[in-house]
């Protein structure tokens, strides 16, 4: 088994890379998806979020208003830290359980952990290979505003709340540059998959 950490800043295109690697045969564990699951309606995680930030972070149906909460925490480092203290331990527990299940299955798997805050949380040493999807801050800003409909101020706050591109590149074993189009991205992902397959072969050789 080859254990890969995949990361990249918001708007870098990391999720698209993750989807393409899954289509090529990787077992993908999506930390962001898990982070949403641990604060779903009825979970202890959501109860703790409401206790910390108040009922105003809930939508009419009782679910978490993620965009509204994001506007609160990404403008205040202390509040972001309080949210992370609620969410991150629960995500870590869920990932550990998934990892145990994967390890008990196909020994030849290439397991890709899609972890947005890999660098911020100092998790790089957990993975045999770290893949960073790199986009320049101006590219990230344009995508968040044009594709996600964020205000420029909100987009800048979210980008600045994450580790810098330089910090991410410093821990990378493989870099996917994604300031271009999807065709260029796909070519790089296919090359990365060949690389990971070769690394897995070497890893699994007695």
């Amino acid at each position: 088994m080859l254990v890969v950490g995949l990361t990249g800043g918001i708007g870098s295109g990391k999720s698209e890379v993750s989807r393409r690697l899954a289509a090529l045969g990787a077992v993908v564990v999506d930390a962001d998806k898990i982070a949403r699951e641990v604060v779903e309606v009825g979970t202890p995680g959501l109860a703790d979020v409401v206790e910390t930030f108040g009922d105003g972070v809930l939508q009419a149906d009782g679910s978490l208003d993620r965009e509204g909460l994001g506007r609160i925490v990404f403008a205040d480092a202390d509040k972001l830290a309080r949210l992370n203290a609620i969410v991150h331990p629960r995500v870590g527990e869920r990932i550990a359980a998934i990892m145990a299940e994967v390890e008990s299955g196909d020994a030849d798997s290439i397991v890709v952990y899609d972890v947005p805050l890999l660098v911020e949380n100092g998790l790089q040493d957990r993975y045999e290979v770290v893949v960073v999807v790199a986009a320049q801050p101006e590219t990230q800003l344009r995508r968040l505003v044009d594709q996600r409909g964020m205000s420029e101020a909100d987009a800048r706050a979210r980008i600045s709340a994450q580790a810098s591109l330089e910090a991410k590149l410093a821990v990378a074993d493989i870099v996917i540059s994604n300031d271009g189009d999807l065709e260029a991205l796909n070519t790089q992902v296919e090359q990365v998959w060949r690389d990971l397959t070769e690394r897995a072969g070497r890893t699994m050789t007695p």
Side-chain angles (χ1 to χ4, degrees), residues 7-25:
T7 195
I10 186 171
S12 67
K14 175 185 58 61
S15 296
E16 184 64 29
V17 171
S18 178
R19 283 191 290 271
R20 289 170 188 253
L21 287 173
L24 289 167

Side-chain angles (χ1 to χ4, degrees), residues 10 13 22 27 33 49 52 72 75 84 124 126 146 162 168 184 188 203:
I10 186 171
V27 176
K33 179 181 178 182
V49 169
T52 302
I72 294 170
N84 288 341
Q124 57 269 20
R126 296 187 180 186
D146 294 348
Q162 296 184 335
K168 292 182 173 70
Q188 291 184 80
T203 299

Side-chain angles (χ1 to χ4, degrees), residues 78-153:
D78 179 64
K79 290 178 180 178
L80 179 59
R82 289 160 66 190
L83 177 63
N84 288 341
I86 295 170
V87 175
H88 288 176
R90 291 178 167 86
V91 172
E93 291 173 3
R94 185 77 62 85
I95 287 177
I98 293 171
M99 182 69 170
E101 183 177 344
V102 170
E103 288 178 344
S104 68
D106 185 359
D108 293 344
S109 296
I110 295 176
V111 183
V112 175
Y113 287 86
D114 182 339
V115 186
L117 301 181
L118 184 150
V119 175
E120 290 82 351
N121 292 322
L123 303 177
Q124 57 269 20
D125 292 339
R126 296 187 180 186
Y127 308 102
E128 295 167 79
V129 181
V130 173
V131 178
V132 170
V133 183
Q136 294 299 316
E138 54 268 27
T139 301
Q140 294 176 262
L141 180 64
R142 185 181 69 250
R143 288 172 177 161
L144 294 177
V145 172
D146 294 348
Q147 299 176 14
R148 300 197 193 180
M150 290 185 187
S151 69
E152 184 171 327

Side-chain angles (χ1 to χ4, degrees), residues 32-53:
D32 205 31
K33 179 181 178 182
I34 295 170
R36 291 192 293 270
E37 291 174 351
V38 300
V39 290
E40 287 180 342
V41 175
T43 62
L46 181 59
D48 284 351
V49 169
V50 172
E51 182 178 353
T52 302
F53 296 100

